Amino acid sequence: MTPIPTTIASDAMHEALHRVFGFRSFRPNQREIVEALLSGRDLFAVMPTGGGKSLCYQLPAVLLPGTALVVSPLISLMKDQVDGAVSNGIKAAFLNSSLDPAEQSRVMQALLLGSLDLLYVAPERLALDYFRDQLIRASISMAVIDEAHCISEWGHDFRPDYLSLSSIVDLLPDIPVAAFTATATHLVQRDIMVKLRLRDPFVVRASFDRPNLSYEVRFKEHGDAQLTSILRKFSGQAGIVYRTSRKSVNDTAAMLQKKGFRALPYHAGLSDQERQENQEAFIRDETDIIVATVAFGMGIDKSNVRFVIHADLPKSIESYYQETGRAGRDGEEAQCIMLFSQADIPKVRFFIDAMLDQEERSRALDALSKVVAFASANVCRRKTLLGHFGQSYPKDNCGSCDVCLGLHEVVDCTTEAQMLLSAIVRTDSRFGAAHLVEILTGSDTKKIREFGHDRLNVFGAGKGHGKKFWRQLIDDLLARKAIGRSEGLYPVIYLLEGGVGILKNGERVEITRVVEQKVEKPSRKSAGPAASPADAPLFEKLRALRKRLADEQGVPPYVVFSDRTLHEMAALKPRTPDEMLTISGVGEVKLARYAAHFLDLIGAGGK
Ligand code: ADP
Ligand code: MG
């Protein structure tokens, strides 16, 4: 293979970046990756979600002769990627089971004629002899493995189909192979490189930091009011609410619909058709909220997701990072909120205990304890997340997580802890959290009277605090192993060794409490001109126009223009096609296709 001389490549690269994609500059690592691929080198790149991985191979695909083959795990992902590429004038197509035979053979013909820049395929296709023969006959410029972590059993999303990719270097020995993923610990990285048999690859480990995301963990109050009050603040914006079980997804979605939210459920128990419809509605901005199990998200490239809420404990830090990573792909601010209570842990334990494979079980337990530590420690969330991927965070204060924003205060709760522990001792460790709280707050319930607990001297001793305070204290004492909770249907709280020290020796108990319920808007972290509140009405009109054009063409709105692009238009108000071209995300093809509509609207002052 003849490498493209770097000087020519460099000019051509920047020219194509601007002309095809409408971008002013490369994001971190993109230029180096494009150069490596243009020079014919294998590549391994971990870049966070929203980091701009697609451009890293789409740009060389445009510049190199022949077709770039892209292996991608999900049908929906392929379609959106192709829609996006085509909207920029790139000759792209996909091959998968959603096409009928005639369509498939048209795509194959285009491939063999060399009239495609990009071809997306599912991994299982590469195992088919027929397809492999065709690939050898076609002119393939490079092989790209997207979501490459799927090849590793150590990753969080192993797909056996991906294993067939290990033979790609035998099949197409003369072209570069490039692996991309958004999550890989060092262990997973090594595994991917070995399995794909990459040859002296150019390796990029981009920062995992997502500066435009803010992180917050809140004490979970069991009840719908907390979730609805959070969602009211995001009114009209798109976001995902993750829940663990199908039933809780259905319940939450129904509850939200009843309260007037535009919310739809998504989980593996729904029919294919319903799942597809709900996902489409979300992608096309026709519903605001998707309430989902972890089954949702991997196939979603929607760039304007403004919030991700974990209403239950995520499975691992890795999946938490991946799930929250779906927010703010467009680089605009987005919020990630986790609702956490120690009381959720037994439910997760229950599933883990049911696992048959010993190794799998201990891996799951380890992951659980790390997530719990993440949620309960008073340490910068960003620092902990990055640390998980072996990356250190240089600043003391990230400025956009609940811990760094000082939304917590440390309070001495030794006396309260002693009251609680003594209530446990006086009732012989035979009652659950709810009943203990009733005792401390002096409730007049039938159960209290039956057991004569209104005669205990701790009865009503904790009236000064609300029930929420006491539940949180129980959570905290569970976390620090001062008390334990039995398993089973009616778990009881009992005293542990650590609790004795508090009760007898007055060891200090400090808990962190939320001072204020909301992460203040983080200082604006996104690039591009700041949108002023005065531009908001124009932005909304541009958004409506985007939706109309997208519907006419049968593509998702973000394929027409991203939120970032619309914000820039609203702020800079371009008047001419040339001015329009300076807006990030407006390339030649989109200029020709859409600019007139947007210029008219802006020219008319949004009327
Ligand atoms: P990833 O696959 O890494 O999650 P994408 O390739 O989907 O990320 O890109 C995320 C968003 O960033 C897209 O909206 C894309 O158009 C945009 N983007 C990519 N590269 C650039 C760039 N150099 N300048 C501006 N926006 C970019
Ligand atoms: Mg991607």
Side-chain angles (χ1 to χ4, degrees), residues 53-54 81 146-147 301 329:
K53 290 184 285 294
S54 317
Q81 291 271 326
D146 204 5
E147 315 287 352
D301 267 2
R329 272 172 186 268

Side-chain angles (χ1 to χ4, degrees), residues 17 21 23-27 30 47-55 57 81 146-147 182 301 303 329-331 558 562 564 584-585:
L17 178 71
F21 297 92
F23 297 144
R24 288 186 281 267
S25 54
F26 284 110
R27 291 220 179 127
Q30 285 181 326
M47 285 167 83
T49 306
K53 290 184 285 294
S54 317
L55 184 135
Y57 57 81
Q81 291 271 326
D146 204 5
E147 315 287 352
D301 267 2
S303 70
R329 272 172 186 268
D330 51 13
Y558 64 84
S562 72
R564 155 85 53 97
S584 173

Side-chain angles (χ1 to χ4, degrees), residues 24 44 47 58 66 75 157 215 231-232 389 397 577 606:
R24 288 186 281 267
F44 173 87
M47 285 167 83
Q58 290 186 352
I75 291 180
D157 211 357
Y215 300 98
L231 290 174
R232 289 229 162 80
F389 296 102
N397 189 311

Side-chain angles (χ1 to χ4, degrees), residues 470-488:
W470 290 106
R471 281 201 310 269
Q472 194 187 347
L473 183 61
I474 291 176
D475 260 15
D476 250 78
L477 293 176
L478 281 168
R480 68 172 70 204
K481 303 212 164 25
I483 56 178
R485 187 201 308 263
S486 66
E487 314 263 312

